[in-house]
Amino acid sequence: MLELPETLRVELKDPLGEIYTDPDALLAAVDEHAETTATADASPPPRLLTVGDVVTATLADAGRQPDIAVIDGRTEREPVDPAVEATLADLAGRRLLVTNPPATISESLLTTLREAAIGTEYPVTISVDGEEDLAALPAILALPDGASVVYGQPGEGMVHVPVRPAVRTTARELLADFDGDTDAAISLFD
């Protein structure tokens, strides 16, 4: 398990991508990024992974269920409102449950993200018993170039992180600064 050190908390408050408030504009950016690396694979890789209940529900309500969603039933440490909960309950696809305590990235979360990202059956919803706030970093490592990670930025909107080598390097560097066996965690995605 990786633990978030106090020294890294401030750095992680900076968004890793552009912030959107309009879901349609965000989804257009996701599609544009995916088109730059599209292949003719019979089963295309996941293109959209969301971290957070409100972000996931917002995009689902806008007509686009994520290929992989990571949710925990909370927003800003409070239970989600009934409308968000109803949207999340209606998500199609497989549901996986992991345990991930606050301010950590558990082995269970890491391996489930990896398996979901290399799988072929989408959509997948990963329900976290605990907290999903840090899942964006390993998600960036798990997904192929051309995919997008979208997470919530409290009080500002939705952050779109187009997965490409430079952002993957940033995610690796941030994870390397966590407490715990960072080499083993990062090697899961090599």
Side-chain angles (χ1 to χ4, degrees), residues 34-49:
E35 287 172 12
T36 64
T37 59
T39 62
D41 293 347
S43 22
R47 293 296 185 192
L48 176 60
L49 181 148

Side-chain angles (χ1 to χ4, degrees), residues 117-162:
I118 62 173
T120 57
E121 292 182 40
Y122 302 105
V124 175
T125 301
I126 301 170
S127 295
V128 176
D129 178 12
E131 192 173 274
E132 39 61 339
D133 294 5
L134 298 172
L137 291 173
I140 291 166
L141 298 182
L143 295 172
D145 287 352
S148 291
V149 173
V150 178
Y151 65 90
Q153 186 77 7
E156 295 186 53
M158 300 171 284
V159 179
H160 174 223
V161 184

Side-chain angles (χ1 to χ4, degrees), residues 52-66:
D53 297 66
V54 173
V55 168
T56 302
T58 298
L59 297 183
D61 287 341
R64 180 80 167 275
Q65 179 175 339

Side-chain angles (χ1 to χ4, degrees), residues 75-155:
T75 185
E76 297 185 32
R77 307 219 184 339
E78 297 295 324
V80 295
D81 68 49
V84 169
E85 189 175 11
T87 296
L88 297 176
D90 287 341
L91 293 177
R94 293 184 304 144
R95 295 195 177 253
L96 306 171
L97 179 63
V98 301
T99 300
N100 192 74
T104 67
I105 301 174
S106 69
E107 182 179 353
S108 174
L109 178 60
L110 290 170
T111 57
T112 302
L113 279 169
R114 183 190 67 202
E115 295 304 318
I118 62 173
T120 57
E121 292 182 40
Y122 302 105
V124 175
T125 301
I126 301 170
S127 295
V128 176
D129 178 12
E131 192 173 274
E132 39 61 339
D133 294 5
L134 298 172
L137 291 173
I140 291 166
L141 298 182
L143 295 172
D145 287 352
S148 291
V149 173
V150 178
Y151 65 90
Q153 186 77 7

